[in-house]
Amino acid sequence: MSTALNLAGDPAAEALLNRAKEEMQGLSAVPNLVVVRIGDDPASVSYTRMKTRRAKKVGLNSSLIELPTTTSEAEMLELIKKLNLDNAVSGILVQLPFPKGSEPDEKRILEAIDPAKDVDGLHVVNVGRLWAGEPGLRPCTPAGVISMLDFYGIDLAGKRVVIVNRSQLVGKPLAALMLERNATVTIAHSRTADMKAVTLEADVLVTAVGRVNFITPEMVKSGAVVIDVSINRITDLNGEAKLVGDCHPDVVNVASALTPVPGGVGPMTVSHLLYNTVQACKQQLATRAKLLQPE
Ligand code: NAP
């Protein structure tokens, strides 16, 4: 029985960061990422601290604004307005989800961010640009998946891709990015009939369902590339907390390549956020320089 190639995220993420560092050379300002978090949900605390820490590690400026759960929508909108107008801020990331019961509406807050500073790539303007094939900031997890496939030399042209997820964060933008790479894309979801028949068609199978052991070996075509985006927290038989994806452990015996969880898509997402911050800074500097040019 053969074992799938381990698509480790760290080397691919480092290659992406090196590209970002190269693009930072010669910029007249240091890219600056501002992360905003409401409340103290442990997962959100850990994600936001990790993002600012990694940003500083690669030479970006970064700060974390921590707000109480009592923060009103008006206060959040005022803060976003201030950050939008501040030329020293290249990228704004508002950590989602907001804690249950907090007043600000996630959608209204995301839409208040200047699309040029929307380093999460979730603003409707950037979503539209993605589907229109125009340049713009791309969502970090889907763009990270594409960078990972590039790093491992996995070409998508002509391949049948099945993505089990239709969220704004993962499935929809990833479908657009994979179409751009000339894949034939199917999106599956909770209402898909005969899931196994659908996933068995995939040369490249992406799963982001959020359910342990959702993808069994019988659902995977022999030799398929499997990208497991999900992060599920479980307690193992020894009572220890552990992170796992959607794939049953035996998928490794059917696939030709498989992303580990943790250590697969996760590092790509963070690196893409930092890459986007550099892109945003570069674009803002170019726009400002153009405005200063005489007619
Ligand atoms: P989500 O919005 O809850 O999306 C889950 C998707 O799975 C939906 O499209 C849902 O279908 C589908 N689904 C649920 N149950 C299903 C079933 N029984 N059969 C088929 N499809 C089913 O979650 P998300 O925000 O996209 O995140 C998905 C997972 O990715 C989570 O585990 C999250 O932690 C992980 N994630 C990881 C990263 C990373 O950096 N690695 C980044 C983002 C997210 P419907 O649309 O029909 O409900």
Side-chain angles (χ1 to χ4, degrees):
M1 210 179 271
S2 64
T3 295
L5 170 71
N6 182 41
L7 300 175
D10 282 343
E14 200 179 319
L16 183 60
L17 284 181
N18 286 340
R19 247 173 74 199
K21 281 189 218 161
E22 270 168 34
E23 295 200 25
M24 269 166 71
Q25 311 263 326
L27 289 184
S28 59
V30 178
N32 181 15
L33 171 68
V34 176
V35 178
V36 182
R37 191 190 72 234
I38 302 181
D40 52 9
D41 168 72
S44 290
V45 169
S46 131
Y47 286 141
T48 48
R49 287 191 183 151
M50 187 247 294
K51 285 166 185 171
T52 49
R53 221 177 24 237
R54 292 264 173 89
K56 286 179 188 158
K57 210 171 151 202
V58 294
L60 272 62
N61 289 333
S62 187
S63 52
L64 174 58
I65 300 177
E66 300 172 287
L67 301 168
T69 39
T70 50
T71 305
S72 70
E73 182 160 301
E75 285 167 328
M76 267 303 269
L77 289 171
E78 193 52 39
L79 172 66
I80 300 293
K81 194 170 154 193
K82 205 174 110 216
L83 297 172
N84 281 343
L85 292 171
D86 186 345
N87 279 349
V89 174
S90 326
I92 305 165
L93 180 135
V94 176
Q95 184 68 35
L96 299 179
F98 292 159
K100 283 201 176 70
S102 56
E103 187 195 291
D105 176 74
E106 289 181 359
K107 205 157 178 285
R108 276 196 291 273
I109 301 302
L110 284 188
E111 297 309 314
I113 297 173
D114 178 349
K117 297 189 177 186
D118 165 42
V119 283
D120 238 352
L122 298 176
H123 192 286
V124 72
V125 166
N126 284 318
V127 174
R129 285 184 183 147
L130 168 62
W131 283 98
E134 287 174 18
L137 294 164
R138 304 306 193 212
C140 301
T141 300
V145 169
I146 299 291
S147 296
M148 168 178 269
L149 293 171
D150 285 346
F151 179 81
Y152 285 101
I154 298 167
D155 186 17
L156 288 169
K159 299 273 172 62
R160 295 197 69 117
V161 174
V162 174
I163 303 168
V164 193
N165 178 297
R166 60 172 161 180
S167 72
Q168 304 289 349
L169 192 63
V170 183
K172 287 182 184 171
L174 184 56
L177 290 171
M178 287 185 154
L179 280 174
E180 227 168 50
R181 296 300 185 92
N182 298 316
T184 302
V185 182
T186 300
I187 296 190
H189 45 78
S190 65
R191 305 291 293 273
T192 296
D194 199 353
M195 181 64 81
K196 185 178 161 201
V198 176
T199 58
L200 274 173
E201 294 263 301
D203 302 313
V204 178
L205 175 62
V206 182
T207 180
V209 171
R211 284 198 187 192
V212 183
N213 292 336
F214 180 83
I215 299 291
T216 59
E218 297 74 29
M219 294 169 77
V220 179
K221 182 160 95 176
S222 175
V225 171
V226 180
I227 308 290
D228 194 341
V229 178
S230 286
I231 301 172
N232 303 305
R233 284 159 212 278
I234 60 159
T235 306
D236 70 10
L237 294 173
N238 303 321
E240 286 184 19
K242 211 176 146 189
L243 298 181
V244 296
D246 288 346
C247 288
H248 184 281
D250 290 344
V251 168
V252 77
N253 299 319
V254 185
S256 63
L258 173 66
T259 55
V261 180
V265 176
M268 299 307 297
T269 299
V270 184
S271 286
H272 223 282
L273 169 70
L274 307 182
Y275 181 78
N276 273 354
T277 306
V278 174
Q279 296 305 314
C281 178
K282 220 170 140 179
Q283 192 56 48
Q284 288 155 30
L285 290 172
T287 306
R288 262 175 247 144
K290 218 165 157 188
L291 286 174
L292 291 175
Q293 265 175 11
E295 290 281 307

